[in-house]
């Protein structure tokens, strides 16, 4: 599938072309667009590198903020994660994560 024309004005309008033809899809902002195949491969690579160096694989969920992506991390062996707010901690606790580090400054 190819992305033909990204446009950003309060959202993203993508024209996608695949074997079924073309179609336009509007995404509001913020929107996470990624390739699950590539993302899972990158997550596995990070987990393997941590293991090779004797480190715990503890991803930071600041960017993705998505329980589905977090689940891919868990499938790769993550047992703990970092978040940046109490709101994010609540989201990931509700998704079954039990070991979270809240990585934010306290003033």
């Amino acid at each position: 599938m190819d992305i033909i024309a990204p446009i950003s004005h309060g959202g993203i309008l993508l024209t996608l072309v695949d074997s079924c033809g073309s179609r336009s899809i509007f995404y509001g902002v913020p929107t996470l667009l990624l390739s699950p195949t590539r993302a899972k491969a990158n997550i596995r690579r990070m987990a393997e590198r941590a293991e090779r160096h004797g480190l715990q694989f503890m991803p930071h969920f600041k960017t993705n903020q998505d329980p589905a992506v977090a689940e891919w991390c868990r499938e790769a062996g993550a047992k703990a994660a970092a978040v940046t707010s109490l709101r994010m901690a609540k989201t990931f606790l509700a998704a079954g994560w039990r070991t979270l580090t809240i990585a934010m400054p306290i003033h």
Side-chain angles (χ1 to χ4, degrees):
M1 183 177 310
D2 295 319
I3 299 173
I4 299 301
I7 302 168
S8 181
H9 291 287
I12 301 170
L13 178 65
L14 300 178
T15 300
L16 306 173
V17 178
D18 60 17
S19 61
C20 297
S22 67
R23 61 194 178 283
S24 296
I25 302 170
F26 179 78
Y27 294 93
V29 279
T31 300
L32 176 65
L33 299 174
L34 53 76
S35 162
T37 302
R38 288 182 181 177
K40 289 176 182 182
N42 288 339
I43 291 165
R44 279 192 306 276
R45 192 168 45 254
M46 286 188 298
E48 290 165 359
R49 186 173 187 181
E51 184 176 348
R52 216 173 27 252
H53 293 283
L55 302 171
Q56 177 185 14
F57 176 46
M58 185 176 176
H60 193 293
F61 294 152
K62 178 180 180 182
T63 302
N64 70 25
Q65 297 188 28
D66 186 324
V69 176
E71 188 58 32
W72 299 342
C73 292
R74 190 184 343 242
E75 290 167 2
K79 295 183 177 27
V83 296
T84 57
S85 68
L86 295 174
R87 180 191 58 78
M88 283 180 66
K90 288 178 185 178
T91 297
F92 290 104
L93 283 169
W97 289 83
R98 292 295 170 252
T99 305
L100 296 170
T101 297
I102 301 172
M104 63 182 215
I106 297 178
H107 302 282

